[in-house]
Amino acid sequence: MTTASKTRGSDSVSARRIRARHLADQGKSLREIAGELGVSKDTVSRDLAAMRRDETPDATPDSGSATDPAPRLILPLSRYMADDLAVLAEAGHSEQEAVRLALAMLANAYRRAWLRGIAPRGQRPRIVVREQGEGTRGH
């Protein structure tokens, strides 16, 4: 197996795990989740267990660590967020990296709007998303 195919495989596992967790959060059974994802019930069970392990903070920090563990952000995962995270996982981002990048992009858009006077500081600016090539002449 090549490195590229190994990477794609781990990306699809991440995306599948995100989707499995979302379906479980909706109250679907292991059998229903397995059918929707095209995998066995055992695979779904392992995926959900792995997601729980990844989310559970260590009870005690490392013995050599003088600081507390990093604070954690816990959010309800909507269907849209789960779908978006699955897309980003498929592209090779971890959940943590995807959330960090999304927050940074939105915060930077706010900062630019405030600096340019588009919106008063502390207020949400209106953000318009344009498709590539939109608004250009001659293309």
Side-chain angles (χ1 to χ4, degrees), residues 42-111:
D42 290 339
T43 299
V44 172
S45 181
R46 283 190 302 271
D47 284 349
L48 293 174
M51 294 294 284
R52 284 190 297 275
R53 274 192 313 274
D54 290 346
E55 291 174 350
T56 304
D58 295 334
T60 58
D62 294 340
S63 57
S65 172
T67 61
D68 290 332
R72 300 205 182 256
L73 175 66
I74 299 173
L75 299 170
L77 190 63
S78 71
R79 183 186 87 209
Y80 301 110
M81 288 174 64
D83 290 345
D84 291 344
L85 284 170
V87 167
L88 295 172
E90 189 175 345
H93 297 285
S94 69
E95 286 180 315
Q96 183 177 0
E97 180 185 25
V99 171
R100 184 185 57 76
L101 290 171
L103 285 172
M105 290 174 64
L106 185 58
N108 285 333
Y110 280 28
R111 287 183 192 105

Side-chain angles (χ1 to χ4, degrees), residues 12-28:
S12 62
V13 169
S14 295
R16 184 185 70 226
R17 285 179 175 174
I18 292 167
R19 189 76 181 129
R21 182 179 61 196
H22 173 66
L23 293 169
D25 289 346
Q26 291 179 338
K28 297 209 176 197

